[in-house]
Amino acid sequence: MLFCPTIAMAQNMNYSVNIHAGGHIIAAYPANMIDSISFTKVSKDVLDNLSAFTDTTLAIIKEDDGSNLTINQGIVSQSKQTIRVIREDDVVAILKLSEPQIIAQAEKKEQWGFFQFPVIYRGANQRLFIDWQMRPDSYTAYGEESHGRIMSTDEGKTWKALDDEYPRFERYRVELNNGDVLQVKDPPSKDVRAYVSFPQPVNDMTINGYDFYLHSELPEDLQGVYLSLWDKINHQQQIIHASLDDPLLLRYSINNMMPVVWWGNIKETEDGTLFAGVYPCYYQDFNGKVNRTAVSFYKSVDTGLNWSKVGTISYQRDGADIPFDGSEGFEEPAFEVLKDGTFFCVMRTGYTSPMYKSFSYDKGRQWTDPIPFTSNGVMPNLLLLDNGALVLASGRPGLQLRFCVDGDGKKWTEPIEMLPFMDDKGNFNIWGATCGYPSILQVNDNTFYIVYSDFKTKDESGEIRKSIMFRKIEVIKRK
């Protein structure tokens, strides 16, 4: 089947390309994508069952090798849509995206940190819950239980507001093989000046408000990890102050306040061993200088009571560690165990800088050299669907979905944008469209839910208000 491209010129004199076949526009591309698309021949599978999708907007995306690290806007999807993933001339997957649904909206103008950072999970009786933050985005507010909550008993068709009648689960959690839920808890930051005695920092001079201390020398309440274990049978939560075996680990204070944070995904293997890939993990180099944060991996064989370090992905450039100067290193790791047992990790490096990926073939002990593969991204979420497809959600600027059809973390689709973030001249506001922190949850073998914030929705009076958005995504792999 030959496709006939036609060129359409918009009023701003930017070109776009519409792809026609059988009387249908089956793809629409902005001008900055024209050079990357081949119009010569596409398999007949592209048009198979076209009549079944006449109520949707059709588009086509290809797999990306990750070599282009320039921030560009991908295909914007703000309505019910079907998107086909092309590899060479063949359709390898069909993506079906539901209409975006506003499930909660702020009643007034909210500052940063409020009405954002949503999390979706299943709670009591398999009901859907969505929480979002209602406090400042600051270390001074860690530990505050201030959030909005809604619940659905019909898989997202309707929602109702909640109080704290049901247990609340955190972003970093794992449902154990026995059904209990283990999750990371953030205690309030502590003022280091309140202690009768306190160790000296390892750095000679404070670095942009930061001081660093050997974790092993800190007072007991500032060591280790704080977790919560929810008992599925008794419906009770137990707070765990777990130990952390990492002799060279540093913990920081900022403006004399020390947060005890340990953020990242936890996975359980078939034998019950827990693995966690977390940040912030600061260490000194051979000259005593503090390097930018790494991502470290730990394991526990006693349901999270004790953790020992397994390996580390150090933030490096040109083979050298980078001293801490207040800037980011490897942060917000997303960690998934692939079908063959490979550990796969995706990490943030900044607001508008690339995300990096790395692989471990020995359960986190050694890692391949991290390589950049996206132009931007914060708070990556990874989900390996039961059908073998791997999902990556991330944001800022905007909110993107990418798919690895083979599930091996190597080839990814171009981004699908949940929200537009770039104007016709290529300008964008990092903070203007969304907080950029998604949350995803598997529904069945090939389907997942995604929630995210939208800062540009309007209320009934026409006032711009923050909203929490909900969508259902289906990934149909073609054999």
Side-chain angles (χ1 to χ4, degrees):
M1 171 65 68
L2 292 179
F3 283 7
C4 178
T6 61
I7 307 296
M9 185 182 297
Q11 290 182 354
N12 63 7
M13 301 302 291
N14 286 330
Y15 290 94
S16 64
V17 176
N18 292 334
I19 310 301
H20 293 262
H24 297 272
I25 296 178
I26 66 167
Y29 297 95
N32 61 8
M33 290 179 62
I34 292 175
D35 290 341
S36 66
I37 301 169
S38 171
F39 301 114
T40 57
K41 180 182 177 183
V42 178
S43 169
K44 181 177 179 296
D45 283 346
V46 173
L47 295 180
D48 283 352
N49 301 319
L50 183 62
S51 60
F53 306 119
T54 54
D55 62 339
T56 66
T57 302
L58 295 182
I60 297 173
I61 57 175
K62 67 171 188 175
E63 291 179 314
D64 191 358
D65 62 7
S67 60
N68 182 6
L69 299 180
T70 302
I71 296 178
N72 288 308
Q73 187 165 268
I75 293 178
V76 178
S77 175
Q78 287 189 290
S79 61
K80 184 178 180 182
Q81 191 168 20
T82 296
I83 298 177
R84 303 190 177 203
V85 180
I86 299 296
R87 178 180 296 162
E88 296 177 351
D89 291 339
D90 296 321
V91 175
V92 293
I94 296 174
L95 313 175
K96 300 177 73 172
L97 294 80
S98 72
E99 190 80 20
Q101 178 185 354
I102 297 176
I103 56 173
Q105 189 172 65
E107 296 180 354
K108 59 183 178 67
K109 186 176 181 180
E110 298 283 4
Q111 63 180 335
W112 181 264
F114 292 75
F115 229 96
Q116 56 192 68
F117 307 137
V119 178
I120 184 170
Y121 55 90
R122 288 200 185 274
N125 300 318
Q126 291 299 300
R127 297 177 174 123
L128 283 178
F129 292 82
I130 296 176
D131 299 349
W132 58 91
Q133 184 170 295
M134 291 295 292
R135 61 172 173 79
D137 181 22
S138 169
Y139 63 90
T140 61
Y142 291 166
E144 291 184 11
E145 294 290 341
S146 182
H147 51 267
R149 302 190 75 192
I150 54 175
M151 178 182 75
S152 175
T153 60
D154 55 10
E155 291 299 306
K157 295 181 178 65
T158 59
W159 299 87
K160 67 176 183 178
L162 283 178
D163 52 23
D164 286 329
E165 174 185 358
Y166 297 93
R168 176 175 175 266
F169 294 156
E170 305 289 345
R171 179 178 294 274
Y172 296 121
R173 67 190 185 279
V174 59
E175 182 174 346
L176 303 178
N177 294 336
N178 65 0
D180 293 350
V181 177
L182 184 71
Q183 56 185 333
V184 178
K185 299 290 287 187
D186 298 336
S189 300
K190 298 288 188 70
D191 191 332
V192 300
R193 297 166 297 185
Y195 291 82
V196 175
S197 63
F198 207 82
Q200 290 296 309
V202 300
N203 48 303
D204 297 329
M205 298 180 62
T206 298
I207 309 170
N208 290 341
Y210 286 80
D211 284 306
F212 294 87
Y213 305 84
L214 271 173
H215 168 265
S216 59
E217 295 180 354
L218 291 171
E220 184 178 355
D221 64 329
L222 294 177
Q223 293 187 31
V225 183
Y226 287 88
L227 306 167
S228 170
L229 181 64
W230 182 70
D231 187 321
K232 179 181 179 180
I233 296 177
N234 299 316
H235 299 279
Q236 294 179 345
Q237 294 203 62
Q238 172 190 358
I239 299 299
I240 299 172
H241 185 190
S243 72
L244 198 60
D245 182 10
D246 189 353
L248 301 180
L249 178 68
L250 304 177
R251 188 155 274 171
Y252 68 88
S253 69
I254 179 168
N255 299 325
N256 296 308
M257 298 296 292
M258 180 170 285
V260 181
V261 291
W262 198 70
W263 292 322
N265 299 128
I266 303 173
K267 302 292 180 181
E268 184 180 25
T269 55
E270 291 183 0
D271 64 359
T273 302
L274 298 177
F275 290 90
V278 301
Y279 90 105
C281 296
Y282 290 96
Y283 303 95
Q284 292 173 278
D285 65 15
F286 292 112
N287 297 316
K289 291 185 178 180
V290 178
N291 290 324
R292 296 188 191 182
T293 179
V295 169
S296 286
F297 287 78
Y298 301 85
K299 75 173 182 178
S300 171
V301 295
D302 54 10
T303 321
L305 294 177
N306 299 279
W307 295 85
S308 59
K309 181 181 171 183
V310 176
T312 297
I313 307 175
S314 298
Y315 181 76
Q316 295 186 335
R317 188 179 301 151
D318 299 327
D321 293 331
I322 307 299
F324 178 76
D325 60 359
S327 303
E328 300 183 27
F330 283 147
E331 296 190 329
E332 296 178 349
F335 159 46
E336 185 60 278
V337 181
L338 305 183
K339 290 288 187 181
D340 63 356
T342 297
F343 284 12
F344 178 58
C345 186
V346 174
M347 299 158 289
R348 158 185 173 164
T349 59
Y351 297 133
T352 56
S353 55
M355 291 193 297
Y356 282 65
K357 64 179 180 179
S358 181
F359 300 83
S360 174
Y361 304 104
D362 57 4
K363 295 187 176 181
R365 291 176 176 82
Q366 300 179 78
W367 290 84
T368 61
D369 291 339
I371 58 172
F373 75 112
T374 71
S375 60
N376 60 289
V378 303
M379 190 49 69
N381 282 224
L382 284 171
L383 175 61
L384 182 65
L385 294 172
D386 289 343
N387 69 359
L390 188 59
V391 181
L392 171 62
S394 60
R396 200 180 302 166
L399 199 295
Q400 292 84 37
L401 277 174
R402 294 175 172 87
F403 299 86
C404 175
V405 177
D406 295 330
D408 58 6
K410 296 178 180 178
K411 288 187 176 181
W412 293 85
T413 66
E414 300 168 71
I416 302 172
E417 309 285 349
M418 299 295 98
L419 302 162
F421 67 86
M422 186 175 287
D423 64 22
D424 293 337
K425 297 181 180 179
N427 301 316
F428 57 86
N429 181 345
I430 299 174
W431 319 98
T434 172
C435 69
Y437 277 41
S439 179
I440 54 180
L441 178 71
Q442 181 158 325
V443 179
N444 55 38
D445 288 356
N446 60 1
T447 307
F448 66 95
Y449 296 133
I450 181 170
V451 294
Y452 53 96
S453 64
D454 186 340
F455 290 176
K456 293 189 175 182
T457 60
K458 294 183 179 180
D459 63 15
E460 294 179 352
S461 301
E463 298 292 331
I464 295 178
R465 296 289 182 256
K466 290 182 179 180
S467 290
I468 304 300
M469 311 298 294
F470 171 84
R471 296 186 82 170
K472 180 179 179 180
I473 316 290
E474 188 176 1
V475 184
I476 304 170
K477 294 178 63 174
R478 303 296 293 272
K479 296 181 180 180

